[in-house]
Amino acid sequence: MKTYTAAYAKRKANAFRKKHFTSCISIFFLDKRTYRLFVFQGDRRVLAESGRLTQLEKEKNEALDKYLDAALLELVVESGDVWLGGANG
């Protein structure tokens, strides 16, 4: 998996969200120990989770089970932090 700066990862995730407008899941791997998971339906963020990588598989599977039509994007962030908001990013 490629690594990105936080700013580029956020731009890439927002472009992905616009392409998969109905539903998407974005996962960011931060500092090799933590993650952020965001679920969007349309222009609305419906879920925002963060935690240790040991919890990620469980959270990811729950999100994929709940949002069956969601497209998935996973990015590694090499520096900085990423937080995605609702309609305005």
Side-chain angles (χ1 to χ4, degrees):
M1 198 177 312
K2 285 181 146 184
T3 61
Y4 303 95
T5 63
Y8 186 74
K10 186 173 182 175
R11 274 197 313 268
K12 196 164 179 70
N14 284 329
F16 182 81
R17 187 172 85 202
K18 288 176 185 165
K19 182 179 178 187
H20 300 280
F21 187 73
T22 55
S23 186
C24 76
I25 299 171
S26 298
I27 299 174
F28 298 95
F29 297 92
L30 307 169
D31 68 37
K32 299 185 182 179
R33 294 184 320 248
T34 58
Y35 71 91
R36 298 232 193 280
L37 181 143
F38 300 94
V39 178
F40 289 89
Q41 287 186 319
D43 221 10
R44 218 176 93 230
R45 185 180 71 204
V46 294
L47 179 67
E49 296 280 337
S50 63
R52 299 251 179 233
L53 286 180
T54 55
Q55 304 165 315
L56 175 61
E57 265 321 294
K58 179 180 170 259
E59 295 294 331
K60 180 174 138 182
N61 289 335
E62 285 178 6
L64 287 170
D65 288 344
K66 187 171 182 179
Y67 304 98
L68 297 173
D69 63 338
L72 178 65
L73 173 69
E74 294 180 295
L75 297 169
V76 176
V77 178
E78 64 186 15
S79 62
D81 194 5
V82 178
W83 191 261
L84 298 178
N88 297 326

